[in-house]
Amino acid sequence: MANILLNVSRRNCSPRSNELWRCFTRQFNKPPTANDLARPCGIASMQRLPVQSTSEGLDACFIGVPFDMGAGNRVGTRFGPRQIRTESVLLRRTNSGTGAAPYDSLQVADVGDVHIKLFNIKKACDGIRDHYREIIKNGCKPLTMGGDHTITYPILQAIKEKYGPVGLIHIDAHEDTQDVMIGEKIAHGTPFFRCVEEGLIESKRVVQIGLRGSCFGPEAREWGVKQGFRCVSAEECWHKSLVPLMEEVRAQMGSGPVYISFDIDGIDPGFAPGTGTPEIAGLTPIQAVEIIRGCRGLNVIGTDLVEVSPPYDTTGTTALLGANLLFEMLCVLPGVKYV
């Protein structure tokens, strides 16, 4: 069948044949190997993928949001996307642990950064929302490099317009469910309060994993539980595999659209020191990978990896971890083939 189609002029094909023609002849973007292009060479896009200005023709895209105006402690996440891209040159095309071959089955590119209005949080968030409307309107699934956690709020505003309220898998040391921070409604500690307030997420399909650290009082955790969130403390994750937990999470999420939001401070700062609000006794990179791989089979429509602050990790280790976790997220998107 393939040989017949490839020898027929597209001009003479029926619409159905043209659809099959595209399937047989589609060329996917693939990151160059280190043998084709030495790692220090080339433009530092995510995995040195092609760069384009829109999501036209893409199944998924990497996108940066260099924003840190919502940070309550150490800033620097505006440099996160750039450093994640730099460290991503070490990544290869196929996931050796799962056999996922995303670049053999999805068209992926780096679509650059959202242009941020750095001196006005409200205008910056409006710009992020508007930019994502364009990115996702054709069904392209964004894999976002942050930026502080404020950015998840405007991203989910855009996503709701296309998909309706979504389930949320949120990995973090903090709940990020405050109503206000120092009198402000929009900051990196408030995104999920705003999301519930505006109906952007389905509270019964929310899980927060890795919560820990000192707190002002019990009300933050209690607020999420009252909304219907499943809140999993870091203490519940110590010294164990999270594969059984993710079996339960998959059942909780069901078949509806799901968004993954991963704050790098969910990982113990011994592994990921480059972040603004580190908390001791966190998740390990192995557990992080278990969580993401446990999302395989879900209807994942977008992801983000936030709070990488390169000035606090001059080795690049935190950004390297972030790049790997973003690749793992790509590998669990619907439509990815396994070898």
Side-chain angles (χ1 to χ4, degrees), residues 29-32 37 39 41-52 62-64 81-91 103 108-113 145 323:
N29 295 334
K30 294 182 185 292
L37 181 66
R39 288 195 172 101
C41 301
I43 295 172
S45 62
M46 184 64 178
Q47 287 192 258
R48 298 186 294 178
L49 284 163
V51 177
Q52 59 184 67
F62 291 103
I63 178 171
R82 186 173 295 173
Q83 192 66 37
I84 290 169
R85 288 181 171 112
T86 297
E87 302 300 336
S88 75
V89 301
L90 282 171
L91 294 169
Y103 298 114
V108 188
D110 188 324
V111 297
D113 290 341
M145 299 168 274

Side-chain angles (χ1 to χ4, degrees), residues 56-76:
E56 183 179 356
L58 300 180
D59 301 305
C61 69
F62 291 103
I63 178 171
V65 185
F67 175 101
D68 59 8
M69 291 184 291
N73 188 37
R74 306 189 304 197
V75 296

